[in-house]
Amino acid sequence: MWIIRLAWKNLWRNRSRTLITVGAIFFAVILSIAAESLKTGIFDNLVKNVVSFYTGYIQIHKNGYQDEQILDNSFSQADDIEKKILANKNVTGLTPRLESFALASSENLSKGCMVVGILPENENKITSLKRKLVKGSYIEKTDQSVLLAQGLAERLQLNVNDTIVLIGQGYHGSTAAGKYQVKGILKFGSPQLNDKILFMPLQTSQSFFSADGMITSYILSIAEDTQLEPIASAVRKTLGTNYEVMTWEALLPEIKQHIATDSNNMKVVQGILYLLICFGIFSTLIMMMIERKFEMGMLVAIGMKKAKLIVLFITESVLTVLIGCIAGIMASIPVIYFLNKHPIRIGGDTAKAYERFGFEAVFPTSTDASIFIRQGIVVFVIGLALSLYPMIKILQLNAVTALRR
Amino acid sequence: MNTTVIDAHNISKVYNPKTIPVHAVNEVHLHINKGEFTALVGPSGSGKTTLLNLIGGLDRPDKGNIFINGTDITKLTAGELISFRLHNIGFVFQSFNLIPVLTAKENAEFIMLLQGVKRKERERRMMQLFKDIGLEDKMDVRPEKLSGGQQQRVAIARALASKPQFILADEPTANLDSASASNLLDNMAKLNKEENMTFIFSTHDQRVIERARRVITLVDGKISSDTAVVPTTEIQTGQVTS
C-alpha cells in the first residue's frame, strides 16, 4: 500500500513531466479512438447505405438468378418455403421482391429504371423504407401507385400525384406496360439507388410483369450481423440445392473488397499512430530515468530491493497511463458522439469517387462502446510495455555509479 | 570489552584494470570496533569514498575480505548484500538525498517500511529519533522547507531508523554552513556517546576531523596513518581525564 502512496506522490513531484506524459497518452487515446470509430462508422454506414437499405444481409434466389438476373429465373412465392426460412431462430424476418428493369417515362422524358415489387409493410420492417419518404405517402399492399427515388423523380421531372409510364419486358417474353400514379418520393443515401429505383406493391408488379405469384428474391433480416455466414449456411442447408442463398458479401464483392482494403490502410495509419504514442511516452520515460538516477542509486544503497523499486516505478507508470487513458476515453466520448450526429462530409472528386462505389461521401463515427474500451486497452498495454524500459534500467543499476554526481 | 564491527583484510580495488589501472584501494587492513567515531581523511582521489563503498557493501573488492559482525560480505550475492545493508548499515550522503515528496518523518520512516516494521513501533521510534536530533517540530515538514543542516539531521535519523551496526557518512558536512555543521556533529557525537553508535566519516572537513576519536589517513589507496586522538572539543570543554 505504501508503494502505491509513494508512487502517487512521486507522480506529482515533477508536475510538468507527469502532465506531458499524461497529455501524450490522453491525445493518443483520443486519436486512436477517433481513428477506430471513424473506420468502423464509415464501414457501418457503407453497409447500411448499400446493404441494409436495399440488398439486405441475405438474399434467396432461384438457382442461377445471380448470374442471369431475368424474370424467367424467378420462382413461386410459397408459404412452406417462408416457414422453413423463418424456422431458423437467427432469421428475424423476410420479405419477397420481384425485380426487373423497365423504361420509365414522364411527359417528355424517359429513363431506364429498376422496378421493385414489394410487400410494403414487410419491406419497411426490414429496410425501413418508409423512413426514406421525403414527399407524399407510403404505398399500400393493393395500391396501383408507385414510390420514386428522388434522383429518378428529378430526372423525369415528376412529383407526387403525377403519372409515370412504364414499358418493359415481362415474364416469358411478354410485354409489360402500365401507367401509375406517383404516391411518394424516396431519398436514398446511396446515389446509385437514388437515381434509378422505383417501388410498387408486389401484386401490382406481378400484374405489370405478367408474373402472377412469382418473385425473384427473398430478403432476410438477421439477428446478429456478425453471424452472417453461419446463418446463411443454416438457411442453405434448410432449402437445399434449388435455391441460392447469398450474403451481402457475395452479392457485393466489390464492397467487401473496398472495406478490406480500407481496413488495411487504416491499420497502417493506426500503426503509425501507435508508434508516435510510443515515442511520446518513451521520451518522457528516458527523461525521468535520467532525472531520478541518483535517487534510484540512493534507494538501492540504503537497502531497497530492486524488485521493490521496479514495483514502485511500474506503479507510477500504471497510474500515469491509467489517468491518461481514462481522461482520453472520457474526453473522446462527446467528440465521437458529436461526429456521429454531425458526420464529416466531403465533396469534390473524392465524393464522386465514393459515389461511383454506390454510397454517399459521409463519414460518421461509430459510438460502439467496445471501440472506446479496446483502444483504451491498446494504449494502456503500450504504456505498460514501455515500462519495461525503467525495469531494465533498474536491473542494470549500479548503486555506486548512480550515486556519482 | 571491544566488539569488532568491521574487519577488512587486505582489500584492494582497481579501476580500469585493462587500460590504465588505478589502485583506488590498495591492500588495506582495517579494524573498527563498536562505538568508534572514525574519520577517513586524505586528499581527493586517495580512496576514501571507495573504501567507504567497500565496507558499506555498495561495491566489491577485487581482492580481500570484509567481515561485518562476522559476516563476510564479499561472499554475499547482490540481493543478499542489499538486504544486509538494509539491516546492518546506515548511510548518510553528502547531498542529503531525502525523497522530496515525503515529509521529514516519512523519509526517516521509509527504511523501516522496507524492513517491514509495524506501524506502532515505527511511530515510537520516530518520536524518539526526532527528539534525539532535535527536530520534533519539523516531523511533518517536507525537505524543501528545511535548512541544509536540518535535512542532514533527517538523513541521520533515516540512517539510524534501521538500527544499523554502524553509520557510514560520506562528506556529511560538505554542503553545510559552520553553524549547521557544528550542530550536526553535536548530534552525531551525542548519539555516539549515548547510544554507542559507530560512525565512520569520509571527510575533508577540519571540523569533523577535530571531533573524531580516530583519524585514518589514506594516500594513494593505502593507509598512511591511523591515529587515536582526543577530540579538540573535549579538550576545550575540559572533558579529558588523565
Side-chain angles (χ1 to χ4, degrees):
Chain A
M1 194 60 199
W2 63 266
I3 283 196
I4 297 172
R5 271 209 307 272
L6 180 59
W8 179 253
K9 284 181 175 179
N10 275 338
L11 281 193
W12 307 109
R13 69 199 291 180
N14 187 335
R15 272 169 206 271
S16 319
R17 187 183 61 214
T18 303
L19 289 175
I20 288 170
T21 316
V22 168
I25 297 162
F26 172 81
F27 287 112
V29 170
I30 292 180
L31 283 174
S32 62
I33 287 175
E36 174 78 9
S37 92
L38 202 57
K39 181 184 86 175
T40 312
I42 289 168
F43 296 154
D44 283 353
N45 195 45
L46 179 85
V47 172
K48 263 184 199 160
N49 263 287
V50 183
V51 179
S52 67
F53 289 170
Y54 183 72
T55 313
Y57 283 93
I58 295 173
Q59 284 193 11
I60 298 166
H61 316 129
K62 186 183 168 186
N63 229 344
Y65 178 80
Q66 184 61 18
D67 293 335
E68 204 180 355
Q69 297 181 13
I70 56 169
L71 281 174
D72 291 354
N73 277 336
S74 58
F75 60 100
S76 295
Q77 184 186 3
D79 283 350
D80 63 324
I81 297 175
E82 291 180 10
K83 275 180 190 162
K84 274 185 188 175
I85 297 166
L86 289 169
N88 188 318
K89 63 177 173 26
N90 287 314
V91 176
T92 53
L94 65 76
T95 187
R97 279 185 193 161
L98 180 65
E99 290 178 13
S100 192
F101 289 89
L103 185 70
S105 307
S106 58
E107 196 174 354
N108 299 312
L109 299 159
S110 58
K111 188 183 184 299
C113 72
M114 188 162 80
V115 177
V116 185
I118 56 169
L119 285 180
E121 287 314 311
N122 285 27
E123 184 72 31
N124 187 47
K125 275 181 196 161
I126 291 178
T127 60
S128 307
L129 191 62
K130 210 185 254 183
R131 287 217 306 235
K132 307 279 178 295
L133 199 69
V134 287
K135 254 186 201 172
S137 52
Y138 197 60
I139 48 174
E140 303 287 332
K141 195 177 174 182
T142 52
D143 277 353
Q144 290 294 313
S145 49
V146 299
L147 296 171
L148 278 190
Q150 197 179 38
L152 182 63
E154 281 168 7
R155 176 70 189 266
L156 296 172
Q157 295 176 356
L158 289 173
N159 217 325
V160 174
N161 294 328
D162 287 346
T163 301
I164 186 168
V165 175
L166 298 173
I167 301 169
Q169 192 182 41
Y171 190 51
H172 286 164
S174 63
T175 303
K179 60 175 189 175
Y180 303 93
Q181 189 193 30
V182 177
K183 196 171 181 186
I185 308 281
L186 304 164
K187 187 182 178 183
F188 286 90
S190 158
Q192 214 173 29
L193 292 176
N194 211 38
D195 286 347
K196 69 173 184 189
I197 207 159
L198 178 154
F199 290 93
M200 61 169 68
L202 182 64
Q203 218 176 327
T204 310
S205 70
Q206 286 169 338
S207 167
F208 171 67
F209 287 120
S210 309
D212 284 346
M214 305 300 280
I215 57 171
T216 51
S217 56
Y218 277 118
I219 312 299
L220 272 54
S221 62
I222 57 175
E224 185 53 66
D225 58 3
T226 54
Q227 296 297 309
L228 187 65
E229 198 45 57
I231 297 169
S233 294
V235 175
R236 212 170 277 134
K237 209 174 162 186
T238 313
L239 294 179
T241 53
N242 289 335
Y243 299 91
E244 55 188 23
V245 179
M246 302 183 77
T247 64
W248 72 264
E249 290 174 344
L251 289 161
L252 303 163
E254 70 280 4
I255 300 291
K256 194 192 170 192
Q257 181 60 37
H258 173 76
I259 288 176
T261 311
D262 262 20
S263 204
N264 286 335
N265 292 344
M266 277 299 214
K267 275 179 193 160
V268 174
V269 172
Q270 277 185 312
I272 294 168
L273 188 63
Y274 292 145
L275 211 61
L276 290 174
I277 296 168
C278 288
F279 281 124
I281 300 174
F282 195 57
S283 55
T284 52
L285 278 178
I286 292 174
M287 250 161 58
M288 180 185 78
M289 294 307 285
I290 294 170
E291 210 175 282
R292 293 173 67 184
K293 192 178 165 193
F294 194 86
E295 176 193 332
M296 289 188 290
M298 181 275 290
L299 289 172
V300 172
I302 64 170
M304 187 168 190
K305 288 201 168 132
K306 285 184 177 179
K308 269 192 181 148
L309 196 55
I310 286 169
V311 172
L312 176 68
F313 273 74
I314 286 182
T315 310
E316 285 179 30
S317 293
V318 168
L319 290 173
T320 311
V321 177
L322 211 58
I323 294 169
C325 282
I326 291 171
I329 290 172
M330 300 304 281
S332 67
I333 292 171
V335 175
I336 298 304
Y337 270 84
F338 178 82
L339 289 173
N340 179 265
K341 297 290 170 208
H342 305 90
I344 300 163
R345 287 174 189 278
I346 56 166
D349 290 342
T350 317
K352 281 178 188 157
Y354 275 95
E355 282 170 8
R356 274 203 297 277
F357 274 104
F359 63 95
E360 54 185 346
V362 175
F363 299 153
T365 50
S366 166
T367 52
D368 183 355
S370 68
I371 294 170
F372 296 87
I373 296 163
R374 193 167 53 243
Q375 290 306 313
I377 290 172
V378 168
V379 177
F380 185 72
V381 169
I382 289 175
L384 286 191
L386 290 172
S387 307
L388 289 176
Y389 173 72
M391 202 172 118
I392 293 163
K393 292 305 266 183
I394 290 168
L395 287 173
Q396 292 172 340
L397 183 83
N398 178 315
V400 176
T401 318
L403 283 167
R404 273 189 210 128
R405 288 270 188 207
Chain B
M1 196 179 97
N2 283 335
T3 316
T4 303
V5 180
I6 302 166
D7 198 3
H9 291 284
N10 198 29
I11 54 171
S12 296
K13 181 74 185 175
V14 183
Y15 291 118
N16 311 323
K18 287 177 184 167
T19 52
I20 307 158
V22 177
H23 294 267
V25 172
N26 197 356
E27 295 177 349
V28 166
H29 293 270
L30 183 67
H31 187 89
I32 305 244
N33 285 326
K34 177 86 183 151
E36 284 194 17
F37 205 70
T38 306
L40 290 175
V41 301
S44 293
S46 60
K48 301 186 297 292
T49 301
T50 304
L51 183 58
L52 217 60
N53 287 340
L54 292 174
I55 58 181
L58 289 175
D59 210 349
R60 289 177 186 277
D62 296 315
K63 209 172 89 178
N65 300 87
I66 302 163
F67 293 89
I68 310 273
N69 265 7
T71 304
D72 186 353
I73 64 167
T74 61
K75 299 277 193 293
L76 299 179
T77 63
E80 287 168 343
L81 255 183
I82 292 177
S83 188
F84 188 86
R85 287 200 298 267
L86 175 64
H87 294 282
N88 295 282
I89 306 168
F91 288 91
V92 176
F93 303 95
Q94 180 181 334
S95 44
F96 325 137
N97 293 324
L98 299 177
I99 300 168
V101 291
L102 301 180
T103 62
K105 182 190 151 215
E106 286 167 341
N107 262 287
E109 196 181 10
F110 185 74
I111 209 150
M112 296 174 82
L113 282 169
L114 294 177
Q115 288 179 319
V117 176
K118 293 231 160 53
R119 189 194 174 109
K120 213 171 171 182
E121 170 61 12
R122 293 202 309 263
E123 292 291 332
R124 192 196 62 74
R125 188 141 175 81
M126 283 304 109
M127 291 303 292
Q128 182 60 48
L129 280 172
F130 274 81
K131 198 176 156 198
D132 289 348
I133 60 167
L135 288 177
E136 305 103 296
D137 56 334
K138 304 281 184 192
M139 285 172 85
D140 296 321
V141 175
R142 286 206 178 174
E144 68 200 30
K145 299 271 167 59
L146 297 173
S147 69
Q150 288 170 330
Q151 286 190 50
Q152 197 60 303
R153 277 147 71 192
V154 174
I156 290 169
R158 180 177 64 190
L160 285 166
S162 66
K163 294 188 175 170
Q165 298 295 327
F166 58 92
I167 287 178
L168 296 176
D170 189 10
E171 306 273 7
T173 54
N175 290 340
L176 301 181
D177 58 53
S178 295
S180 300
S182 174
N183 197 304
L184 179 81
L185 290 166
D186 285 344
N187 266 283
M188 288 178 162
K190 189 176 151 211
L191 289 163
N192 171 249
K193 197 171 177 183
E194 291 175 1
E195 297 193 16
N196 202 27
M197 177 52 66
T198 312
F199 281 90
I200 302 156
F201 305 92
S202 140
T203 188
H204 281 111
D205 192 339
Q206 198 54 39
R207 294 166 299 192
V208 181
I209 299 165
E210 282 171 5
R211 301 280 189 118
R213 289 173 172 275
R214 181 180 172 189
V215 178
I216 298 169
T217 310
L218 285 166
V219 177
D220 295 334
K222 283 180 178 284
I223 294 176
S224 68
S225 70
D226 186 348
T227 325
V229 290
V230 176
T232 318
T233 45
E234 289 182 19
I235 298 167
Q236 284 165 350
T237 52
Q239 291 175 19
V240 181
T241 51
S242 52

